[in-house]
């Protein structure tokens, strides 16, 4: 009686659904552009597209961050801001991941030039002034960046 035992082992081969030959490369990522030395200054009201180039085995998944917090829906190799405002000022990074690992970009510090202008003044207080009594008024200056400051008239 004759018998043989066979052992089958895979020495190389692709991942299911890919043609990667079994080699999976972790992602690498370049610097965020535009920008120089990790900084970029733009004028309020401009449009801005931040982008990054990454390499590694596909699929590559991106996530943009501002001040350390993920930006909802910002999952492409570029991130567009249609109308830059002071609210967009901050530190931006992007991470890229695949099944072999992840990489994070160097930080880009975005500065937004903005001219603060008085938008409105709101005055409130006593509507009736009685002779010999103190009348109290408040004055609030409202600026075009959404902030307001109370001013105490003297």
């Amino acid at each position: 009686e004759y018998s043989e035992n066979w052992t089958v082992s895979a020495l190389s081969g692709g991942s299911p659904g890919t043609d990667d030959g079994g080699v999976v490369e972790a992602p690498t990522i370049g610097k965020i552009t535009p920008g120089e030395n990790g900084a970029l200054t733009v004028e309020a009201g401009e449009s801005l597209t931040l982008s990054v180039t990454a390499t590694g085995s596909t699929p590559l998944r991106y996530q943009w961050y501002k001040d350390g917090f993920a930006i909802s829906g910002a999952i492409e190799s570029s991130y567009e801001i249609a109308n830059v405002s002071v609210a967009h000022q901050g530190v931006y990074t992007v991470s890229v991941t695949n099944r072999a690992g992840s990489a994070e970009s160097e930080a880009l510090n975005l500065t937004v030039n903005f001219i603060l202008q008085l938008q409105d003044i709101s005055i409130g207080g006593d509507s009736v002034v009685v002779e010999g009594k103190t009348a109290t008024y408040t004055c609030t200056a409202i600026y075009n960046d959404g902030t307001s400051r109370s001013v105490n008239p003297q």
Side-chain angles (χ1 to χ4, degrees):
E1 180 174 323
Y2 177 77
S3 68
E4 289 186 35
N5 292 325
W6 292 77
T7 302
V8 178
S9 62
L11 299 176
S12 68
S15 300
T18 69
D19 188 20
D20 60 18
V23 177
V24 180
E25 294 180 12
T28 59
I29 193 167
K31 293 182 179 182
I32 298 173
T33 58
E36 191 170 316
N37 297 322
L40 177 64
T41 300
V42 297
E43 301 296 322
E46 291 183 359
S47 293
L48 173 64
T49 301
L50 301 175
S51 62
V52 70
T53 301
T55 60
S57 295
T58 58
L60 295 173
R61 291 182 179 84
Y62 297 87
Q63 178 62 63
W64 287 86
Y65 297 85
K66 177 182 177 273
D67 298 327
F69 296 96
I71 302 169
S72 178
I75 56 171
E76 303 293 330
S77 61
S78 61
Y79 173 62
E80 184 176 349
I81 304 170
N83 185 11
V84 176
S85 71
V86 291
H88 295 109
Q89 187 163 279
V91 177
Y92 288 81
T93 57
V94 59
S95 66
V96 60
T97 59
N98 67 9
R99 62 186 180 272
S102 64
E104 186 170 321
S105 70
E106 292 182 19
L108 176 74
N109 186 13
L110 178 64
T111 301
V112 178
N113 285 335
F114 181 78
I115 298 172
L116 187 64
Q117 296 176 336
L118 182 63
Q119 190 173 24
D120 196 11
I121 295 178
S122 170
I123 300 174
D126 294 338
S127 60
V128 176
V129 178
V130 178
E131 185 176 347
K133 299 287 183 175
T134 301
T136 304
Y137 292 93
T138 58
C139 179
T140 304
I142 303 167
Y143 296 93
N144 61 341
D145 67 348
T147 62
S148 61
R149 292 175 182 82
S150 291
V151 179
N152 294 322
Q154 300 292 330

